[in-house]
Each structure stands twice: as structure tokens, then as C-alpha cells.
Amino acid sequence: MEQIEHKYVEVNGLKIHVAETGRGNSPVVVFLHGFPEIWYSWRYQMIAVAKAGYRAIAPDFRGYGLSDQSPEPEKTTFLDFTNDTLALLDALNISEIFLVGKDFGSIVISRFVTLYKERVSGFIVMGVPFLPPQPLQFKEGLPEGFYVSRFGEPGRAEADFGRLDAKTVVRNVYIMFSRSEIPIANENQEIMDIVQPLTPLPPWFSEEDLAAYGALYENSGFRTALQVPYRSLLEQVNITDPTVHVPALFIMGEKDYFLKFPGIEDYISSGGLKSSVPNLEIASLPEGNHFVQEQLPDVVNKLVLDLLNKNSKPQ
């Protein structure tokens, strides 16, 4: 990762950690992570787009990794992350970008592209499709042990995670989220206990990768990570027209457990997604799981570069 440089940028009164590679005057691609990820989850894509003539920027959201915490992490919102992204662009004198997001980073993109359309040349999402900026109801019809419900319950996830070190929490979540079934605990079971201690890591995720994530979450803890996304899903957003017309791509792993969330497959297949983003294309990866950018980096890199090259001129 020696090609990737690191710095801190003052954003809305906080020091935000930014990983960056590529030439300063090139078209800019901003990568937004999900949970349990961090800037590091974009390591393959950042190097690929920089080699292709783009400038790659991947921040740690406030409260994640090496970025500052909010003064009151439990009040952090998706809108904070959205406005931090805008302020980061302004601080770096960047007028227009391509956005690439994964998991809840896709939800931040959904807000950013509807609020600040003039700043976006195009976007790519994976793990979670573009979702119209509105309160998100994922619990309907799912048992009490649904991980989103458990993580959303103040105190319960803190106690569950608190039994383990940060590295083990990340390990367990990576293993759970790599599967094709929604993580659901039994009535008298905690989410961390779904994964057995001797369960191996996914073959594409090394002990070195786990150590990198573990160190970053050891630094930040999970206070903000539990607030956003899990305790902010019902956040209200005042947007009159959620339709987005820029070029867009949804990279969909067909074995991604998120597709089994209530209403998601119907939203994608019935035309709801395309009505929100008319110029969106969908790339389906038959073996892809929730972490396609790490699991299948060469495939994802090609898809990312195809969209970028169709809609910009790299330098």
C-alpha cells in the first residue's frame, strides 16, 4: 500500500483521515466505506483507478478509523456524513467527483447525489443499491434476533461487542456478512455468538487484512459505527425530487445476504430502482457476496473503470 498516502483534513470542526493516491489534476473518484469497513476496504480499487489516470480519495467517516469522533457520537447522522463529504470536497478545492460506495456508504451516496447533484459526475454502489432518501424500514417480518434490530438496541450491541477485542468483532462480522443468509440470532443468543471461534476467515480475506481493520477499530471503537448506520435508519430527509439522472452502476453480488432484506429484490427487479436512477446499469456477479470489492477485486475494478472511462477523460 506504499502508493497510498495519508493525511488529515479539517472538516466541520473535525480532523478527518483521508487516504489518497493519483495525480492531483486528474478526475476525482471518492470512495465511501460501509461497516465493518474503513478506507482500507478500497485498497484494490484505489490503486487500479490511480494507475488508470484518476485521483482516488477514501476518507474514514467521522467516528471511524483514524478520524475524529463527533462531540456526541450518539447524535451522529447520515446527514453528518453527507455534509462531511461535501465539506471535504470544498476543503480540497474539488468541484465535481465520481462517487463509489459500499453498504451504508451507498446510503450516504443516495443522499449526496440528491442534495448536491451538481457535484456528481456519476456513481457506483455495491452491497446496497441506491435507496431513495427516506426512513428505511428493514425489520418488517424478520425475527427479534435480526442483527439490524439487535445493533439498533442501545446497550445490547455494546455489551455484546464489549466481551471481545475489536479485531474479533470485525472478524465475526466479516464472516457473517460474507454468507448468503441474513444474520439472525436465536432468542437467547447474542449476534457475536453466531460465529464459532474456529470458523475460518473467507479465503479472500487474510490475517493481515484483519489485523489492519482490527487496529483501526481499536482506535475508534464502535460508538459511531452503531449509531450510523444502525440507529439512524429512520432519519428524515427533506428532498423534493429524489430522481437522479447521472450515469450510475449497481454492482450486485447474487449471493449477497442484503438481497434478502424485505422488499429489496422486488425494488430492484420491479423497476423501482431504475425509476429512481434512470441511467443506472446493473452488473450481476453470480458468486459475489456482500464484499465484492474485496472478494472479486479484478472484476469490480474493471466495472468501475468501464463507467469512469465512458464518462470522463483520465489524465
Side-chain angles (χ1 to χ4, degrees):
M1 299 299 143
E2 63 275 2
Q3 306 101 310
I4 297 176
E5 299 178 348
H6 298 265
K7 62 185 177 184
Y8 290 88
V9 180
E10 189 82 14
V11 170
N12 292 326
L14 302 173
K15 289 182 180 178
I16 297 299
H17 170 255
V18 175
E20 182 173 359
T21 186
R23 290 188 292 275
N25 60 345
S26 302
V28 177
V29 187
V30 175
F31 294 88
L32 302 180
H33 66 80
F35 176 79
E37 295 151 301
I38 219 78
W39 77 265
Y40 183 84
S41 66
W42 298 113
R43 59 200 179 279
Y44 301 119
Q45 288 70 46
M46 292 180 72
I47 292 170
V49 302
K51 285 182 178 178
Y54 296 90
R55 180 183 177 189
I57 296 173
D60 292 342
F61 285 121
R62 62 165 70 192
Y64 278 81
L66 299 176
S67 291
D68 282 352
Q69 297 275 355
S70 299
E72 297 180 273
E74 290 76 15
K75 294 183 179 180
T76 307
T77 65
F78 279 113
L79 190 58
D80 288 330
F81 287 2
T82 305
N83 289 335
D84 286 351
T85 304
L86 178 68
L88 175 64
L89 301 185
D90 290 343
L92 297 176
N93 295 311
I94 297 169
S95 60
E96 195 169 347
I97 57 170
F98 290 92
L99 282 165
V100 182
K102 156 76 185 3
D103 187 68
F104 83 78
S106 302
I107 299 176
V108 177
I109 286 178
S110 298
R111 284 156 167 70
F112 191 94
V113 298
T114 47
L115 287 168
Y116 308 114
K117 296 178 182 180
E118 72 283 358
R119 306 296 290 267
V120 181
S121 302
F123 71 87
I124 300 167
V125 291
M126 54 198 86
V128 172
F130 175 96
L131 296 171
Q134 61 191 22
L136 299 172
Q137 300 277 4
F138 291 139
K139 303 177 185 179
E140 186 176 346
L142 291 172
E144 174 274 336
F146 176 40
Y147 81 96
V148 172
S149 298
R150 291 286 187 86
F151 288 177
E153 182 181 339
R156 184 156 190 171
E158 286 86 344
D160 189 13
F161 290 7
R163 300 175 295 148
L164 309 167
D165 60 25
K167 180 179 174 181
T168 303
V169 172
V170 173
R171 170 191 173 274
N172 289 353
V173 177
Y174 252 87
I175 290 170
M176 284 190 298
F177 286 7
S178 296
R179 296 169 175 168
S180 59
E181 298 300 322
I182 296 174
I184 296 174
N186 297 325
E187 185 177 351
N188 297 315
Q189 181 187 40
E190 297 303 324
I191 296 296
M192 288 294 101
D193 296 327
I194 292 175
V195 177
Q196 297 302 310
L198 296 180
T199 305
L201 290 169
W204 43 266
F205 192 73
S206 70
E207 289 289 344
E208 181 183 2
D209 295 331
L210 178 59
Y213 280 106
L216 291 166
Y217 275 98
E218 190 69 39
N219 181 74
S220 65
F222 297 97
R223 290 177 70 188
T224 299
L226 289 169
Q227 174 63 24
V228 181
Y230 299 104
R231 298 170 188 172
S232 302
L233 293 172
L234 299 181
E235 182 181 322
Q236 296 282 349
V237 184
N238 294 320
I239 294 173
T240 54
D241 180 12
T243 308
V244 178
H245 294 278
V246 297
L249 174 67
F250 174 38
I251 302 175
M252 181 176 70
E254 293 183 15
K255 295 185 177 180
D256 188 338
Y257 74 90
F258 185 79
L259 296 177
K260 296 181 178 177
F261 274 38
I264 292 299
E265 286 191 295
D266 182 63
Y267 167 67
I268 295 168
S269 63
S270 69
L273 175 56
K274 284 284 287 184
S275 68
S276 296
V277 192
N279 296 319
L280 178 133
E281 297 180 5
I282 298 175
S284 295
L285 308 185
E287 297 302 314
N289 62 33
H290 193 60
F291 298 100
V292 286
Q293 85 281 18
E294 295 181 278
Q295 177 201 13
L296 302 168
D298 292 342
V299 176
V300 170
N301 291 351
K302 183 180 185 305
L303 290 167
V304 168
L305 286 170
D306 284 349
L307 182 135
L308 296 177
N309 291 336
K310 285 178 185 175
N311 296 284
S312 65
K313 294 180 179 179
Q315 297 183 9

